[in-house]
Amino acid sequence: MLFISRCQLLVTSALRKKHKKTPFASAALKSPVKMKSQLLVLLLFLSCKGQSSCPGICSCHGGTVDCSGRSLTASSLPTAFPAETAELRLHDNLLTTLPNALLDSLPRVRSVTLHGNPWACDCGVLYLRAWLLRHTVRHASHLQVNCSSPLDLRGRLVAYLSEEELLDTCRYWYCDLALASQLCLLGFVVLQGALLLSVVVFLRRFQHMSKEARRTKEESFTAGETSRDEYAPLNDTSI
């Protein structure tokens, strides 16, 4: 079901006026400019219609969007609602948190029902808490929006939680990423140190083997010279 928004009403009125003056078919034949203007009006109407569409998982009537009792979670919850929404029903679902800025695009909303959901009172509920504090009790039924977890906050009213209580439960993903990065860096440094130590040990062994080879060569050369010197007098004596 679709809302008939003010945008659609204005565009429809303009379309009817143009249609009374010059029928669409004859205008298309007589004047390409008029045809283009009417096509533009139709495109505007379709864009308004798309913007005011009712989420498929919910039911809509007038200014009421009913998404209650549909086992919705934060991931399956519609990402947007019609701008003309006056009453939004989200109660009796499986919502643990609300996506940031979800309700900020509803300037005409007068009532939002949020009870009957297992709200997780951690960092993810900060937006809901801030939204509840910005609106009066008649807008959001503050007294029925309770924490289901963690255990030490179970039963508490979301609107009356302090920021300190919620921030204490936070485990930001980038903190875990920073810790993982530090551990990886430490492992990389250890690996580089081990490789450097291996290279140093190899070079020392190579140097030692080179010295041994040079010494062996020198000793072999010296032994050869000595044996040649000893063999030369024997040859002279035999002559």
Side-chain angles (χ1 to χ4, degrees), residues 74-133:
S75 59
S76 62
L77 188 68
T79 57
F81 299 97
E84 300 294 324
T85 302
E87 180 181 358
L88 179 60
R89 300 174 182 173
L90 297 175
H91 59 273
D92 296 331
N93 282 298
L94 301 176
L95 298 173
T96 57
T97 183
L98 282 184
N100 291 338
L102 177 67
L103 304 177
D104 297 343
S105 59
L106 304 176
R108 303 180 187 278
V109 69
R110 297 190 304 271
S111 174
V112 179
T113 58
L114 298 165
H115 59 275
N117 288 290
W119 299 109
C121 293
D122 53 16
C123 289
V125 84
L126 284 171
Y127 168 72
L128 174 60
R129 172 185 175 274
W131 191 89
L132 291 173
L133 291 177

Side-chain angles (χ1 to χ4, degrees), residues 17 22 85 95 119 139 146 170 226:
K17 289 180 181 179
T22 56
T85 302
L95 298 173
W119 299 109
H139 275 207
N146 301 323
C170 293
T226 303

Side-chain angles (χ1 to χ4, degrees), residues 26-188:
S26 61
L29 294 174
K30 293 180 180 179
S31 176
V33 175
K34 291 181 179 180
M35 182 183 70
K36 290 181 180 179
S37 65
Q38 289 185 349
L39 287 175
L40 179 60
V41 172
L42 286 174
L43 289 175
L44 289 174
F45 179 81
L46 292 175
S47 65
C48 293
K49 184 178 179 180
Q51 292 176 358
S52 301
S53 60
C54 178
I57 199 171
C58 306
S59 62
C60 302
H61 179 71
T64 301
V65 180
D66 189 358
C67 302
S68 62
R70 288 167 169 80
S71 300
L72 295 177
T73 63
S75 59
S76 62
L77 188 68
T79 57
F81 299 97
E84 300 294 324
T85 302
E87 180 181 358
L88 179 60
R89 300 174 182 173
L90 297 175
H91 59 273
D92 296 331
N93 282 298
L94 301 176
L95 298 173
T96 57
T97 183
L98 282 184
N100 291 338
L102 177 67
L103 304 177
D104 297 343
S105 59
L106 304 176
R108 303 180 187 278
V109 69
R110 297 190 304 271
S111 174
V112 179
T113 58
L114 298 165
H115 59 275
N117 288 290
W119 299 109
C121 293
D122 53 16
C123 289
V125 84
L126 284 171
Y127 168 72
L128 174 60
R129 172 185 175 274
W131 191 89
L132 291 173
L133 291 177
R134 289 198 306 267
H135 296 78
T136 59
V137 175
R138 65 181 179 86
H139 275 207
S141 302
H142 292 52
L143 300 180
Q144 300 179 24
V145 184
N146 301 323
C147 300
S148 291
S149 63
L151 289 176
D152 57 335
L153 296 179
R154 178 174 294 178
R156 296 278 302 278
L157 296 176
V158 173
Y160 300 122
L161 293 173
S162 65
E163 287 191 4
E164 290 75 13
E165 289 177 307
L166 296 177
L167 292 176
D168 287 342
T169 66
C170 293
R171 285 188 56 84
Y172 294 107
W173 63 269
Y174 46 80
C175 294
D176 296 334
L177 181 61
L179 179 60
S181 300
Q182 291 178 354
L183 292 176
C184 291
L185 180 61
L186 178 60
F188 179 75

Side-chain angles (χ1 to χ4, degrees), residues 153-227:
L153 296 179
R154 178 174 294 178
R156 296 278 302 278
L157 296 176
V158 173
Y160 300 122
L161 293 173
S162 65
E163 287 191 4
E164 290 75 13
E165 289 177 307
L166 296 177
L167 292 176
D168 287 342
T169 66
C170 293
R171 285 188 56 84
Y172 294 107
W173 63 269
Y174 46 80
C175 294
D176 296 334
L177 181 61
L179 179 60
S181 300
Q182 291 178 354
L183 292 176
C184 291
L185 180 61
L186 178 60
F188 179 75
V189 170
V190 172
L191 180 61
Q192 290 292 321
L195 290 175
L196 180 61
L197 181 61
S198 299
V199 170
V200 171
V201 171
F202 174 78
L203 290 176
R204 287 186 176 180
R205 288 186 178 180
F206 181 78
Q207 184 179 12
H208 179 71
M209 292 174 63
S210 298
K211 288 182 180 180
E212 290 293 333
R214 193 179 301 112
R215 186 181 304 120
T216 302
K217 184 177 179 181
E218 290 176 355
E219 290 177 354
S220 299
F221 180 76
T222 303
E225 289 293 330
T226 303
S227 61

